[in-house]
Amino acid sequence: MTKQYHDRALDADTLDQLFNEARSYNGWLDKPVNDEQLHAIWDLMKMAPTSANMQPARVVWVKSDEAKQQLAGLVSEGNKAKVVAAPVTAIIGYDIDFHEELPWLFPHTDAKSWFEGNEKLRQEGAFRNSSLQGAYLMLAARALGLDCGPMSGFDNAAVDKAFFADEPRHRSNFICSIGYGDPASIFDRSPRPDFDTFNRIA
Amino acid sequence: MTKQYHDRALDADTLDQLFNEARSYNGWLDKPVNDEQLHAIWDLMKMAPTSANMQPARVVWVKSDEAKQQLAGLVSEGNKAKVVAAPVTAIIGYDIDFHEELPWLFPHTDAKSWFEGNEKLRQEGAFRNSSLQGAYLMLAARALGLDCGPMSGFDNAAVDKAFFADEPRHRSNFICSIGYGDPASIFDRSPRPDFDTFNRIA
């Protein structure tokens, strides 16, 4: 029997850690992130839902100085210093042929056949669901006491060539630095829209 | 000064509520979700990061019997009963012209100009970031003691016509039922990939 948590709202401090006080960082404290922490992020994010459990995300965790320099050369000017300074930057990519894995990821039906011969449908599913997984990555990192700095300003094709050279099915979606954020590196909060601005109850 | 939570990992029960024990539900207990809960979900999800604070998601919360019947007529056969039974189903859409809102959402620079005349870039940004926001919505709902049932099996164009008729800039991304999940409605967990299967540390 699965555990349920009906009407158990998390306490204010936890909601602050995950949402209300968490910020996107542009600079990082000189404190490393170890491989066990990266495994722990994955072990949480993989539990969250994707369509037909497709799990299209393919992640390269850029951690060595050499890989950071390589990635920094492929991001926009304003992101270079961030990538070099961050303990780790995750390249969140996706497998355009994720359906090849569905026989073991979604074993109870022939979900692979839904996607065969339809790259447009696979592209849409892979992009949507790897984006979901990128969000799960960020919230998992925060849940473990780490900070994030997501970025989409980079040359996707060049990053694919540099980091997915052995995996021509893989394509980058966005990147996200992970570490212990430097509080001096954040800007004022941008405004947040009220419910009525962007929501409607029908 | 922003609050920080470095190395404060959430307790096991909270990680279970958010990730490890949370499940996607196919059926719902007969227990309503009220408007205050929907506002509370938005008030959390809007705090999480989007690129240049673009916040492209536009959400229709389908809650009335009439709206549920209308939506149920536009989803795949296997999803009809779920939509009718769920207390609420969120249509997570996006504004293809979100850049028109950037002057107030991202006021410190002229981010609107980055997207003007480039619908392809806007489509990519809106789809990626509204997907992130859909993931935030699900984790916010779970954080408040609610359950989720995300679905992508529906006719997007028909849903846009029915629910975004007054907003031709808005397009549906995916839908997600919200409520108190019926534990009898879930299937066995699909397998989750090990770190080494889909990750690499560079």
Side-chain angles (χ1 to χ4, degrees):
Chain A
M1 189 76 159
T2 195
K3 283 203 274 182
Q4 294 191 307
Y5 297 89
H6 292 169
D7 285 331
R8 177 190 185 260
L10 301 180
D11 63 87
D13 210 37
T14 298
L15 295 177
D16 282 352
Q17 177 171 343
L18 292 169
F19 292 103
N20 293 316
E21 291 283 338
R23 299 296 309 276
S24 291
Y25 284 84
N26 301 297
W28 303 93
L29 302 180
D30 185 19
K31 182 176 173 181
V33 171
N34 62 43
D35 291 359
E36 288 65 36
Q37 290 171 291
L38 306 183
H39 282 251
I41 292 172
W42 177 257
D43 285 340
L44 289 174
M45 65 185 274
K46 76 181 182 187
M47 302 310 292
T50 55
S51 181
N53 196 37
M54 60 173 66
Q55 304 261 351
R58 304 292 182 263
V59 186
V60 179
W61 304 86
V62 172
K63 196 177 160 219
S64 70
D65 287 340
E66 187 188 344
K68 284 184 203 177
Q69 291 296 339
Q70 190 178 18
L71 180 59
L74 307 173
V75 303
S76 64
E77 208 51 43
N79 288 336
K80 287 184 195 304
K82 301 184 204 177
V83 167
V84 172
V88 180
T89 297
I91 302 170
I92 297 135
Y94 55 86
D95 183 349
I96 188 68
D97 290 339
F98 64 84
H99 65 307
E100 300 288 353
E101 315 297 330
L102 289 176
W104 67 272
L105 284 172
F106 203 61
H108 62 282
T109 190
D110 180 18
K112 181 181 172 183
S113 67
W114 307 343
F115 297 98
E116 271 173 331
N118 193 342
E119 182 165 324
K120 184 168 177 290
L121 186 68
R122 297 204 304 276
Q123 170 65 30
E124 183 183 307
F127 191 58
R128 174 188 294 118
N129 285 277
S130 67
S131 298
L132 297 181
Q133 290 182 278
Y136 303 147
L137 181 153
M138 292 191 273
L139 285 167
R142 289 174 172 183
L144 296 169
L146 291 159
D147 294 309
C148 300
M151 295 167 275
S152 51
F154 64 94
D155 182 336
N156 287 70
V159 165
D160 295 353
K161 197 170 167 191
F163 288 93
F164 294 130
D166 297 336
E167 299 283 1
R169 288 163 37 172
H170 298 185
R171 304 181 187 176
S172 53
N173 185 340
F174 70 99
I175 63 177
C176 182
S177 292
I178 303 282
Y180 298 92
D182 179 354
S185 74
I186 53 174
F187 307 123
D188 286 344
R189 269 272 193 213
S190 293
R192 290 317 203 256
D194 291 336
F195 184 90
D196 291 339
T197 308
F198 290 152
N199 294 261
R200 180 164 70 84
I201 298 176
Chain B
M1 188 76 158
T2 195
K3 283 202 275 183
Q4 294 190 307
Y5 297 88
H6 291 170
D7 284 333
R8 176 191 185 260
L10 301 181
D11 62 86
D13 210 36
T14 298
L15 296 177
D16 282 352
Q17 178 171 344
L18 292 169
F19 293 103
N20 293 317
E21 290 283 338
R23 299 296 309 277
S24 292
Y25 284 84
N26 301 297
W28 304 92
L29 301 181
D30 185 19
K31 183 178 172 179
V33 172
N34 63 41
D35 292 359
E36 290 64 38
Q37 290 172 291
L38 306 183
H39 282 251
I41 292 171
W42 177 257
D43 285 340
L44 289 174
M45 64 185 274
K46 75 182 183 187
M47 303 310 292
T50 55
S51 181
N53 196 37
M54 60 172 69
Q55 303 262 351
R58 304 293 182 263
V59 186
V60 179
W61 304 86
V62 172
K63 196 178 159 217
S64 69
D65 287 340
E66 187 188 344
K68 283 183 203 177
Q69 290 296 340
Q70 191 177 18
L71 180 59
L74 307 172
V75 302
S76 64
E77 207 51 42
N79 289 335
K80 287 184 196 302
K82 301 185 204 176
V83 166
V84 171
V88 181
T89 298
I91 302 170
I92 297 135
Y94 56 86
D95 183 350
I96 187 70
D97 290 341
F98 65 84
H99 65 307
E100 300 288 354
E101 315 297 330
L102 289 176
W104 67 270
L105 284 172
F106 204 60
H108 62 282
T109 190
D110 179 17
K112 181 181 171 182
S113 68
W114 306 343
F115 297 98
E116 273 174 329
N118 192 342
E119 183 166 323
K120 184 168 177 289
L121 187 66
R122 297 203 302 277
Q123 170 65 30
E124 183 182 308
F127 191 62
R128 175 188 294 119
N129 285 275
S130 67
S131 298
L132 297 181
Q133 290 182 276
Y136 302 148
L137 181 153
M138 291 192 274
L139 285 167
R142 290 175 172 183
L144 296 169
L146 291 160
D147 293 311
C148 299
M151 294 166 277
S152 51
F154 64 95
D155 181 336
N156 287 70
V159 165
D160 295 354
K161 199 171 166 189
F163 289 93
F164 294 130
D166 298 336
E167 299 284 2
R169 288 162 39 172
H170 297 185
R171 305 181 186 176
S172 54
N173 185 339
F174 70 100
I175 63 178
C176 183
S177 293
I178 303 283
Y180 298 93
D182 178 354
S185 74
I186 52 176
F187 307 122
D188 287 345
R189 271 271 195 213
S190 293
R192 291 316 202 254
D194 291 336
F195 184 91
D196 291 340
T197 307
F198 290 152
N199 293 262
R200 179 164 70 84
I201 298 175

